[in-house]
Structure formats: structure tokens, C-alpha cells
Amino acid sequence: MKILVLGGGGREHAIALKLSQATPPPELLFAPGNPGMAALGTCVPLAADDIPAVLDLARRETVDLTVVGPEIPLVKGVVDAFQAAGLAIFGPTAAAARLEGSKAFSKDFMARYGIPTAAYQTFTALEPARAFLEKTGAPVVVKASGLAAGKGAVVCTTMAEAREALDSMLGPDAIFGEAGREVVIEEFMDGEEASVFAVCDGDRYVLLPAAQDHKRAYDGDKGPNTGGMGAYAPAPLMTPARLDQVCREVVEPTLAGMRAEGCPYAGVLYVGVMVTAQGPKVVEFNCRLGDPETQCVLPLYDGDLADLFLKAATGRIAASASPAPNGAAAVVVIASGGYPGSYRNGFPIAGIEEAEALPGVQVLHAGTRIKQPDGVLATAGGRVLGVTGRGATLKQALDIAYMGVSKIRFDGMHFRTDIGKKGLAAG
Ligand code: AMP
Ligand code: GLY
């Protein structure tokens, strides 16, 4: 089997690693991949969202299955293009990916099917939005409807913040451009968050272990929001009863609703869940796996991932299931000094081999590159590496991950020291 993976971050490295562990191992191609993934297959220097180029690659290489990591190619219609060409691809069509690509669509969809989520209204003009805001008061959440690289949701504790967020999106500055021309103003939900992943074939699904991400830059959930500084799975917050509730109240009605609307959902349905006093509610849908959650979720899946993705891509999942996770895993992200603000690239990275010599440790590349002419591995991004630890318990997985982290060195590196603490307290 020949598989093409689109993307080149930590999530895609984790997908590639899991795919490579099948017997017999598939032949792997990556567009564009990264220096870590290069050890598992062939990296082709194409952007993941250059749809004509990746389609041409898949055809030329007679790829059996393409797996899409990031949301942008999905929202741009990579799945539609491959399907039109008769090629198997795992991910939702552009119409189905609107669940992530348009928060206005996804909120209206949830309202149509009674899926529990925060109360909201959608606006395209500043004046009525302002008037609504004055009526609702703070705390409140102001969100750009379109894709904004994870920066489009502003949780506002004061009215001043809320007015500013609204003005920045719908006012003359339009800081998110097109993505912020439509704005969702949403009720603030109080609670703990978790990420739930369902691998769907349009009709049935296989649930992966639920994870908890750590979005803030510093320990104690302090500092600015990031792409995610670490994660662990399974998250004790998502008890079997709550997971079951999310399946019945969210995943199943979403699959049924998307089918009824003529855009069946095949691919990963990522449910961002807030566990509130009234039970689990949807914070957002994403149309792909999470980063860094994937790095701790996939090691716990015991089956053949290529087979699962192929079945999902071709509508052949036998029956919906929630397999029990095998042990626990945690990932600690090591970031460049200054991230998520400005940072410098190009610092040599040492210690990866030492880290991976420890049992249970995997180092996943996110922002690295090979510096020429000397061929040295160097930093090339905000989130540089993810160190995954796997163990029988969450405590073991965390200890193993942090042992791995202790071996890695580069100038300015920073990481959180409290990944998984909440999970330990809850478990
Ligand atoms: P989103 O882009 O919609 O996932 O939002 C990003 C983050 O903002 C979420 O992970 C939450 O931490 C927070 N958030 C979004 N919506 C709400 C809400 N209605 N209530 C509380 N927090 C929220
Ligand atoms: N970890 C958050 C995300 O992938 O959107």
C-alpha cells in the first residue's frame, strides 16, 4: 500500500509514525513532510494546500490512499478534487469541512439539530453587533467565523475587551480579513475543556481516546494562547458516561444532519467539548485531528490506522465503536524562546537520539529543518518538537515524556512543566 500524507507538522509526523508501524509497512510519501518524517518515507517539497500539485503527485505515484493533516486543504476542497479524479482520500469534502471553516455555518447547523452549544448570534455589520453586545454584557466570546489559524476566538471578560474585539473584526482594521467579515457573538461557557475525535465514514464512526490540550504558553494556564503546548490522553474528565453523551448528543446527530443536508461527513470530526454544569457542550468543531493531541492519541490506538482511514474514506466502517485506549500517553511541546510572540530560528538541536533511546519516548518534529551546507538539524518554527511518552498510566506517561524532554537542548527552548497535572488530579 502506498500512502500520501499531506502536511508537515507534529500531527503529521505522528500520523506517519503510526502508519509506518503496520505489518507490512506501507510505502509513505509526504507533501511537504519534515526532517523527522524523512526517516519514514519520501518528502516531496509541495505545499499541502497546492491542490493541483498534490493531485498530480498522487496520480503519478499511483497512491492508494491520501491522508490530509491540516484544515486549509480540506476547506479548499482537496477531497473533492481527489474524489473527482477517482482517488481514495481521507477527509471531509469542502461542503462538510464548513463545520470548521465557517463558525456561522457550524453554529446554525448545531441549532438546527439541537446539538448542545453556547447561545449565539451572527453578524456582518458593526452597528447591530454592537447593540447585541451591549444587551448581552460580559463575559462573552467574540469569534471570527472563518479560518484564523486558531486566533479568531476572543474570550472577553470585560465589555471594553469585547467592544475592542468586535471593532477589530468588523471595523475598518478587519484584522482577520475575509475570515472576520462574519462574526459570531457567543455566550461564555464555564468549565473544563477536552478534545474528542471521531473517525467517520459518513454514517458510522470509531472514537479515538479523548485528550486534553494545554493552550496557554506558561505553567498554570498563564500567558498568551498558543497552538498547544502539550496534551495527554485519555482525559479522565471525559468519563465513559460523558463520552457516551457526546456520541449520542453530538457525533451521531452531526453525522445524521450532514447526511440529511447532502454533505455526508467522512474524515475526523474533532469535537472541542466544554464540560459545563449542564453537561458537555460543543465549543467548536474541527474537520481534522488536533495538534498536539494527535501525538498522544494515536499511540493509544491499537488497530491498523491505514485500514481505519481507508475504510472511513470509502464508507466501509463496519459498526460504530469506542475502543478502550491501550494505556496512556502524553506529549510535551518544546517551543522556541519568545513563542507565541516573535522568536529566532536556526538554533542547532541536540539530544533527540538520547531521548528516543529511552523506552516509551518518541520525538516528533514540528518546526525543524536541516541547515545547509553542514546538514545540522535546527529550529525552524514556534513549536519545534513534541516529546511523547507512553506508559501504563498517565503518571508513567508524563514521567517518561519529561525524561525525554530533559535530554533535548537548543538555545532559548521553553516548555511547560505542568502538562497533565489536571489529569492526575482528576484521575
Ligand atoms: P475556538 O476557536 O472556537 O475553538 O475557541 C478557542 C478557545 O476559546 C476554546 O478552546 C476555548 O478555550 C475558548 N472558547 C471558545 N468559545 C468559548 C465559549 N463560548 N465559552 C468559553 N470559552 C470559549
Ligand atoms: N490543539 C488544537 C487544535 O488542533 O486546534
Side-chain angles (χ1 to χ4, degrees), residues 11 213 215 227-228 270 284 286 288-293 383:
R11 165 183 51 208
D213 188 8
K215 290 198 167 133
Y270 167 156
E284 62 165 347
N286 292 314
R288 49 167 176 89
L289 283 163
D291 190 339
E293 292 98 316
R383 293 189 293 174

Side-chain angles (χ1 to χ4, degrees), residues 5 13 87 192 260 317 352-353 388:
V5 178
H13 191 177
L87 295 175
E192 275 281 318
I317 290 180
I352 292 182
E353 276 180 25
T388 298

Side-chain angles (χ1 to χ4, degrees), residues 29-367:
L29 281 174
F30 312 119
N34 67 37
M37 294 165 78
L40 304 169
T42 307
C43 295
V44 184
L46 296 174
D49 64 344
D50 184 344
I51 295 176
V54 296
L55 180 58
D56 184 54
L57 173 68
R59 275 209 189 101
R60 230 176 31 238
E61 294 285 339
T62 57
V63 160
D64 298 297
L65 174 68
T66 297
V67 176
V68 190
E71 63 277 15
I72 291 176
L74 293 167
V75 170
K76 282 172 72 171
V78 70
V79 170
D80 309 66
F82 274 61
Q83 284 178 348
L87 295 175
I89 183 164
F90 175 64
T93 60
R98 282 178 300 167
L99 282 181
E100 172 166 2
S102 166
K103 288 189 193 287
F105 172 83
S106 106
K107 295 294 288 189
D108 290 347
F109 176 85
M110 286 187 262
R112 281 199 292 283
Y113 295 95
I115 295 169
T117 188
Y120 75 104
Q121 284 222 29
T122 303
F123 299 92
T124 51
L126 190 53
E127 278 319 312
R130 273 208 187 118
F132 179 74
L133 193 63
E134 298 305 324
K135 246 186 13 220
T136 45
V140 68
V141 185
V142 178
K143 295 182 178 181
S145 177
L147 290 183
K151 299 189 178 78
V154 189
V155 178
C156 310
T157 44
T158 66
M159 282 304 282
E161 281 172 316
R163 290 187 195 111
E164 191 186 316
L166 197 58
D167 285 355
S168 73
M169 295 181 202
L170 286 179
D173 292 348
I175 61 165
F176 297 117
E178 269 304 297
R181 273 180 29 81
E182 198 170 13
V183 165
V184 174
I185 301 180
E186 201 174 277
E187 166 204 9
F188 172 79
M189 297 186 285
D190 201 11
E192 275 281 318
E193 281 181 83
S195 309
V196 172
F197 303 99
V199 175
C200 307
D201 75 349
D203 194 13
R204 292 159 300 260
Y205 60 91
V206 173
L207 212 64
L208 299 175
Q212 194 165 43
D213 188 8
H214 297 64
K215 290 198 167 133
R216 300 299 195 101
Y218 311 124
D219 284 6
D221 293 331
K222 302 257 169 25
N225 262 321
T226 70
M229 293 298 290
Y232 65 94
L237 173 70
M238 293 312 290
T239 57
R242 285 190 181 128
L243 267 181
D244 193 57
Q245 203 178 347
V246 170
C247 288
R248 306 286 160 259
E249 295 180 4
V250 181
V251 177
E252 289 166 17
T254 298
L255 289 177
M258 293 299 277
R259 252 193 339 267
E261 300 198 2
C263 42
Y265 194 95
V268 174
L269 180 67
Y270 167 156
V271 187
V273 172
M274 184 78 77
V275 177
T276 71
Q278 297 91 46
K281 293 188 183 180
V282 178
V283 178
E284 62 165 347
F285 283 130
N286 292 314
C287 62
R288 49 167 176 89
L289 283 163
D291 190 339
E293 292 98 316
T294 305
Q295 291 87 310
C296 64
V297 164
L298 290 187
L300 306 182
Y301 181 69
D302 258 347
D304 177 338
L305 192 67
D307 181 61
L308 176 64
F309 285 172
L310 187 61
K311 285 198 167 116
T314 52
R316 290 187 295 116
I317 290 180
S320 293
S322 309
N326 180 6
V331 57
V332 178
V333 169
I334 309 184
S336 291
Y339 173 80
S342 63
Y343 54 84
R344 282 171 53 204
N345 286 328
F347 296 111
I349 302 167
I352 292 182
E353 276 180 25
E354 271 172 89
E356 289 195 322
L358 299 167
V361 172
Q362 289 284 351
V363 179
L364 300 165
H365 293 233

Side-chain angles (χ1 to χ4, degrees), residues 369-378:
R369 76 183 161 91
I370 305 287
K371 245 187 12 188
Q372 297 306 353
D374 46 5
V376 168
L377 185 75

